[in-house]
Amino acid sequence: MAVQTMPRTEPRHHAGHRGRPPRRMPKLKTVIVAAAAYIVAFVFLFPYIVMLLTSLRSQDSLREVSFWPKEWVWSNLANFWSSGLAGNLWVTLKVAGGSTILVLLVALPAAYYSARHNFRGRTAFLILVLITQMFQPTAMLVGIYREFYQFGLVDSIWSLILVNGGFNLAFAVWILNAYFASIPRELEEAAFIDGNGRFGALFRVTLPLAMPGVITALIFTFIAAWNEFVVALTLTTTPANQPLTVALNSFIGQYQVDWQNLFAGSVIATIPVIILFALIERKVVGGLTAGSIK
């Protein structure tokens, strides 16, 4: 009786490796650029690393020379919520979000109209908008306070929304005007032929193509309102109505600074901004092609 033998086959992983091209080493220029990018990123991130490590130190270890804390005090982050600053964080979210919505509601039609219509005084209007960007809120604090005092809006969240929206409106109008002007009119005319009206062409064609500018204006306005301090310190007096940038001053005393809790609050204050960037980063790339490819 003959014994049949199975033919020998090579392992699959060897066959797979045969078809792969040899891995090339990166060029020297690529390595240098990547190394420089990592160094620059570390320089910008280093203060945040120090802030995070300081927020996890104990009061007795603040003056230690060592970079890493010998004792990790995670309760400093929990003390932020027990100190009542969570309400101030919510105030900051409302002020930044309200200012951003207000700016977009006003800047979008103003920028679109000035980009699509050559009306009389258009250049003067854009120059005036640019000039208003040069004024600083600190230079007009007395006038701002007196105006809101006459309207009974001192110590109100609405006053902060109006001020932050007003001082960030000029930048939004300028950047949105540039994006709208770069979009060909023929795309809107094609939408008109398809049966869309002015608003239909705006929301279906123009706005998707201008989404990078809209998101840039959104980010700029939100961060500027989130970090604003001087106007909020002037217009708010009740601790419950103060944004987080002002409320963190409660950790700064006359003779002592509660550094670990101050930095713990600062770490928590940066989290919403990081989340905003994480959510919007993909939409920036999607906005570059949205509306042009179906």
Side-chain angles (χ1 to χ4, degrees), residues 12-22:
R12 294 182 178 179
H13 62 274
H14 290 295
H17 282 295
R18 288 180 179 179
R20 296 180 182 178

Side-chain angles (χ1 to χ4, degrees), residues 59 76 79-85 88 244 246-266:
Q59 182 68 28
N76 291 336
N79 292 336
F80 175 86
W81 307 103
S82 61
S83 62
L85 293 180
N88 302 105
L244 189 59
V246 180
L248 286 176
N249 280 334
S250 61
F251 293 118
I252 302 177
Q254 184 176 2
Y255 301 104
Q256 186 178 2
V257 178
D258 197 355
W259 289 109
Q260 69 276 17
N261 289 323
L262 177 63
F263 283 174
S266 301

Side-chain angles (χ1 to χ4, degrees), residues 14-234:
H14 290 295
H17 282 295
R18 288 180 179 179
R20 296 180 182 178
R23 188 175 181 181
R24 298 180 179 179
M25 296 296 294
K27 297 181 179 179
L28 179 61
K29 181 180 179 180
T30 304
V31 174
I32 295 176
V33 171
Y38 280 112
I39 293 174
V40 172
F42 177 77
V43 170
F44 280 98
L45 292 176
F46 184 74
Y48 295 94
I49 297 174
V50 174
M51 182 174 65
L52 176 61
L53 295 177
T54 307
S55 66
L56 299 177
R57 291 180 181 270
S58 62
Q59 182 68 28
D60 299 332
S61 62
L62 288 176
R63 299 184 180 274
E64 292 181 355
V65 183
S66 61
F67 183 75
W68 296 98
K70 296 181 180 179
E71 180 183 0
W72 300 86
V73 185
W74 297 96
S75 60
N76 291 336
L77 298 176
N79 292 336
F80 175 86
W81 307 103
S82 61
S83 62
L85 293 180
N88 302 105
L89 178 62
W90 177 240
V91 171
T92 306
L93 284 172
K94 290 192 290 186
V95 171
S99 302
T100 303
I101 294 174
L102 178 62
V103 166
L104 292 180
L105 288 177
V106 178
L108 281 173
Y112 178 76
Y113 187 85
S114 60
R116 285 290 183 260
H117 298 83
N118 292 322
F119 56 91
R120 181 179 298 178
R122 175 179 175 270
T123 304
F125 168 75
L126 293 176
I127 293 176
L128 181 62
V129 170
L130 183 62
I131 291 176
T132 58
Q133 184 68 24
M134 302 177 183
F135 293 101
Q136 295 295 325
T138 53
M140 297 181 289
L141 274 179
V142 176
I144 291 174
Y145 181 86
R146 182 176 180 180
E147 182 177 357
F148 282 107
Y149 179 80
Q150 291 176 349
F151 286 99
L153 292 177
V154 174
D155 198 21
S156 172
I157 296 177
W158 292 106
S159 62
L160 300 180
I161 293 176
L162 292 174
V163 172
N164 285 285
F167 279 100
N168 292 288
L169 182 61
F171 174 82
V173 170
W174 261 92
I175 192 170
L176 290 175
N177 177 272
Y179 270 93
F180 285 138
S182 64
I183 299 174
R185 296 174 180 265
E186 290 76 11
L187 295 177
E188 293 183 356
E189 294 174 356
F192 296 156
I193 297 175
D194 292 338
N196 294 291
R198 174 66 65 179
F199 288 100
L202 174 63
F203 287 101
R204 294 182 181 180
V205 178
T206 309
L207 271 183
L209 292 175
M211 194 56 63
V214 175
I215 293 176
T216 303
L218 185 151
I219 293 176
F220 180 88
T221 304
F222 187 89
I223 294 180
W226 184 271
N227 295 328
E228 203 285 318
F229 173 77
V230 177
V231 175
L233 179 65
T234 305

